[in-house]
């Protein structure tokens, strides 16, 4: 019996799903955020806890989202609507995919601004602006970008246009074609950059920092940071994997596919660390430089290296590519819903959603200059949006989606989705999701809220 097909289409091969899901997972969280969070949280101890969080929290939640998406073969909102009409779940659960979609949408409004910084720095790298740049010069360069709303608007607009044009195509012509090309290019280029960095940088000190750990380095703050980054990095809780699961063949094992996605996500994060830290230690840059590590410290390093202009250009191009593959998944949920519910053409739906993201993004970029006033809780608009999505919407969305799958979707329906071919593997996933992943997310989220 032929399998049912989603209105948007089906991934042409299992590997296209893996490329798409990996592309969604691999983004600024891996190349921009992971190195500086690793630097701020002690290196090897954080990496160890991060790996455990990916295995015990990230992977089970990712599998739950994909399985839920594949049950009905529709966009996430209509999937839960269908389940409620069949009296499998209560209609109140329809709120969950809406929450996930809004979360991804709001994250994209500031994600696109940061991706715009990457485009701006790609242009500067290609122009040779990093050559022999000093610490003061690098700080001034980044400050000039943040204080110039016109330039930030330009790059924010370019990035949103790329996202809209990609998502506006069909699954087979748009998303598949982009991820098939960009993800392998990203991984291979990172391997080459990491090899170069390790040849000319202080590799021994970087390896010690990244992979050596002791028990006293593992603190609750490290665990909190690791769980948060694992959820953000894998794009769970924002409906992206939910939507992609609907395009996945019924013949493919969800466990196998999602395990590969988590493996690629971790590989890219480690490669990003191996690109950055040998150079950081070689040039005696502070590893705890925070978010400015990429946009202040790295230009200084690239500006002093032989062939630095070329390698800086490649690095920031990879940053743009990673941001693009993640951003297209954030827009997919509502574009698919508009297309299926109201029969709006995908390109038109992507344009409508993209324009909304673009408009809110203007308020975000202005919060770095003209509107840099504290609105509430001592935060400007960008800070408020970042905290609201990362501390409230993202974890709550991931928890509710996981609870829906683990406690309300019938056990038999999940088994029919061929989450794994091995019965014992299914039980491991099901019990880990119920009794480890969900409680861990609840504790970490609550503690994060009360600020312990």
């Amino acid at each position: 019996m032929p399998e049912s097909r989603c209105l948007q289409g089906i991934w042409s091969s299992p590997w296209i799903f893996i490329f798409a899901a990996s592309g969604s997972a691999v983004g600024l969280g891996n190349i921009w955020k992971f190195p500086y969070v690793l630097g701020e949280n002690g290196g090897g101890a954080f990496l160890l806890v991060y790996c455990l969080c990916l295995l015990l929290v990230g992977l089970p939640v990712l599998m739950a989202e994909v399985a839920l998406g594949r049950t009905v073969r529709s966009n996430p909102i209509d999937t839960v609507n269908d389940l409620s009409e069949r009296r499998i779940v209560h209609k109140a659960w329809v709120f969950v995919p809406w929450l996930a979609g809004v979360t991804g949408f709001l994250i994209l409004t500031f994600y696109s601004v940061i991706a715009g910084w990457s485009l701006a720095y790609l242009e500067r790298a290609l122009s040779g602006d990093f050559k022999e740049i000093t610490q003061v010069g690098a700080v001034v360069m980044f400050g000039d970008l943040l204080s110039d709303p016109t330039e930030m608007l330009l790059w924010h607009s370019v990035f949103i246009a790329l996202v809209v044009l990609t998502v506006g195509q069909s699954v087979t012509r748009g998303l598949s074609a982009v991820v098939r090309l960009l993800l392998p290019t990203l991984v291979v280029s990172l391997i080459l950059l990491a090899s170069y960095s390790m040849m000319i940088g202080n590799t021994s000190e970087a390896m010690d920092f990244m992979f050596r750990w002791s028990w006293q380095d593992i603190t609750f703050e490290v665990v909190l940071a690791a769980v948060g980054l694992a959820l953000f990095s894998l794009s769970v809780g924002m409906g992206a994997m939910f939507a992609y699961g609907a395009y996945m063949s019924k013949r493919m094992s969800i466990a196998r596919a999602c395990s590969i996605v988590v493996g690629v996500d971790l590989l890219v994060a480690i490669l990003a660390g191996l690109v950055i830290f040998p150079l950081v230690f070689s040039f005696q840059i502070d590893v705890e430089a925070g978010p400015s590590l990429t946009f202040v410290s790295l230009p200084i390093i690239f500006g002093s290296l032989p062939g630095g202009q070329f390698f800086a250009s490649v690095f920031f191009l990879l940053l743009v590519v990673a941001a693009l593959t993640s951003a297209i998944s954030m827009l997919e949920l509502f574009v698919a819903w508009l297309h299926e519910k109201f029969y709006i053409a995908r390109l038109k739906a992507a344009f409508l959603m993209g324009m909304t993201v673009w408009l809110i993004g203007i308020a975000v970029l202005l919060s770095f200059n003209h509107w840099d006033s504290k609105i509430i809780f001592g935060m400007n608009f960008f800070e408020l949006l970042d905290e609201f999505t990362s501390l409230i919407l993202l974890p709550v969305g991931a928890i509710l989606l996981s609870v829906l799958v683990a406690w309300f979707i019938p056990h038999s329906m999940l088994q029919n989705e061929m989450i794994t071919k091995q019965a014992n593997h299914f039980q491991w996933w099901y019990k880990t999701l119920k009794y480890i992943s969900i409680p861990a997310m609840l504790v970490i989220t609550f503690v994060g809220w009360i600020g312990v």
Side-chain angles (χ1 to χ4, degrees):
M1 180 180 175
E3 63 176 292
S4 61
R5 296 183 65 84
C6 175
L7 181 61
Q8 308 296 331
I10 298 291
W11 301 117
S12 57
S13 80
W15 282 103
I16 296 301
F17 166 79
I18 290 171
F19 285 165
S22 299
S24 175
V26 172
L28 293 177
N30 299 75
I31 302 178
W32 170 62
K33 194 170 186 177
F34 176 82
Y36 84 71
V37 174
L38 183 73
E40 290 177 334
N41 289 277
F46 174 83
L47 181 58
L48 174 66
V49 176
Y50 180 69
C51 290
L52 291 174
C53 290
L54 286 177
L55 178 65
L56 299 176
V57 179
L59 177 59
V61 175
L62 176 61
M63 290 169 61
E65 278 205 36
V66 173
L68 190 56
R70 202 167 68 172
T71 54
V72 179
R73 285 237 181 274
S74 184
N75 67 80
I77 296 168
D78 286 343
T79 291
V80 181
N81 262 323
D82 180 87
L83 293 173
S84 68
E85 288 172 1
R86 289 156 56 186
R87 299 187 182 278
I88 294 174
V89 300
H90 192 275
K91 62 182 180 180
W93 283 106
V94 177
F95 166 76
V96 175
W98 276 104
L99 174 65
V102 169
T103 301
F105 177 84
L106 290 177
I107 289 174
L108 185 56
T109 61
F110 62 83
Y111 194 92
S112 61
V113 174
I114 299 171
W117 299 350
S118 305
L119 281 167
Y121 268 65
L122 173 60
E123 185 271 333
R124 285 161 170 74
L126 290 169
S127 301
D129 291 352
F130 299 156
K131 188 175 181 180
E132 298 181 355
I133 193 170
T134 64
Q135 172 77 27
V136 173
V139 171
V140 169
M141 178 183 287
F142 190 47
D144 286 346
L145 173 64
L146 297 185
S147 63
D148 187 348
T150 303
E151 184 181 7
M152 281 209 290
L153 178 61
L154 168 65
W155 297 118
H156 166 60
S157 303
V158 170
F159 185 78
I160 289 295
L162 291 173
V163 174
V164 167
L165 290 174
T166 303
V167 178
Q169 306 303 310
S170 68
V171 169
T172 52
R173 286 194 306 161
L175 300 180
S176 296
V178 168
V179 298
R180 188 189 293 120
L181 171 66
L182 294 186
L183 187 69
T185 303
L186 172 69
V187 174
V188 171
S189 300
L190 274 175
I191 291 172
L192 294 176
L193 271 182
S195 301
Y196 173 77
S197 175
M198 293 170 72
M199 281 192 295
I200 67 170
N202 190 338
T203 303
S204 61
E205 195 169 348
M207 297 291 276
D208 280 348
F209 175 74
M210 288 183 64
F211 299 109
R212 182 171 292 180
W213 62 277
S214 59
W215 287 109
Q216 58 263 34
D217 294 332
I218 300 177
T219 64
F220 189 79
E221 288 73 20
V222 168
V223 175
L224 186 65
V227 173
L229 185 60
L231 293 176
F232 179 82
S233 177
L234 288 176
S235 299
V236 294
M238 60 181 76
M241 298 305 183
F242 197 153
Y244 281 3
Y247 314 146
M248 185 182 184
S249 169
K250 293 278 188 179
R251 295 185 295 273
M252 187 174 188
S253 164
I254 289 176
R256 179 173 179 267
C258 291
S259 297
I260 295 173
V261 170
V262 171
V264 171
D265 181 76
L266 179 60
L267 172 65
V268 170
I270 291 174
L271 285 174
L274 293 175
V275 170
I276 292 173
F277 287 113
L279 299 177
V280 164
F281 283 109
S282 180
F283 283 80
Q284 299 181 332
I285 300 291
D286 183 11
V287 295
E288 298 184 19
S292 66
L293 183 64
T294 298
F295 296 105
V296 175
S297 302
L298 286 184
I300 300 170
I301 294 170
F302 286 130
S304 304
L305 292 176
Q309 180 177 352
F310 171 76
F311 288 103
S313 301
V314 172
F315 178 83
F316 284 105
L317 177 61
L318 294 181
L319 205 57
V320 172
V321 168
L324 178 61
T325 56
S326 285
I328 56 181
S329 68
M330 296 179 196
L331 209 60
E332 177 63 23
L333 187 151
F334 281 133
V335 169
W337 178 70
L338 288 171
H339 180 57
E340 294 178 17
K341 187 75 173 178
F342 302 103
Y343 303 102
I344 299 174
R346 279 187 65 95
L347 186 59
K348 184 177 180 180
F351 176 78
L352 291 172
M353 297 306 300
M355 280 297 296
T356 310
V357 170
W358 180 78
L359 287 170
I360 299 175
I362 293 175
V364 172
L365 65 88
L366 286 174
S367 68
F368 290 98
N369 36 76
H370 296 320
W371 293 357
D372 188 21
S373 55
K374 308 305 179 184
I375 300 174
I376 189 173
F377 303 128
M379 294 181 283
N380 62 28
F381 184 67
F382 165 74
E383 294 164 342
L384 192 63
L385 204 55
D386 183 25
E387 293 286 309
F388 181 58
T389 53
S390 61
L391 293 181
I392 299 176
L393 296 186
L394 194 62
V396 168
I399 290 168
L400 290 176
L401 279 168
S402 300
V403 168
L404 173 59
V405 172
W407 296 98
F408 293 92
I409 300 297
H411 196 273
S412 58
M413 180 179 287
L414 294 173
Q415 286 183 315
N416 289 338
E417 283 306 317
M418 204 178 80
I419 289 172
T420 175
K421 295 179 180 178
Q422 303 294 327
N424 58 331
H425 292 173
F426 177 87
Q427 289 302 321
W428 175 87
W429 164 74
Y430 195 64
K431 290 180 179 178
T432 302
L433 179 67
K434 260 189 173 183
Y435 303 118
I436 297 179
S437 306
I438 294 173
M441 289 190 292
L442 283 169
V443 170
I444 295 298
T445 301
F446 178 71
V447 170
W449 288 353
I450 63 177
V452 172

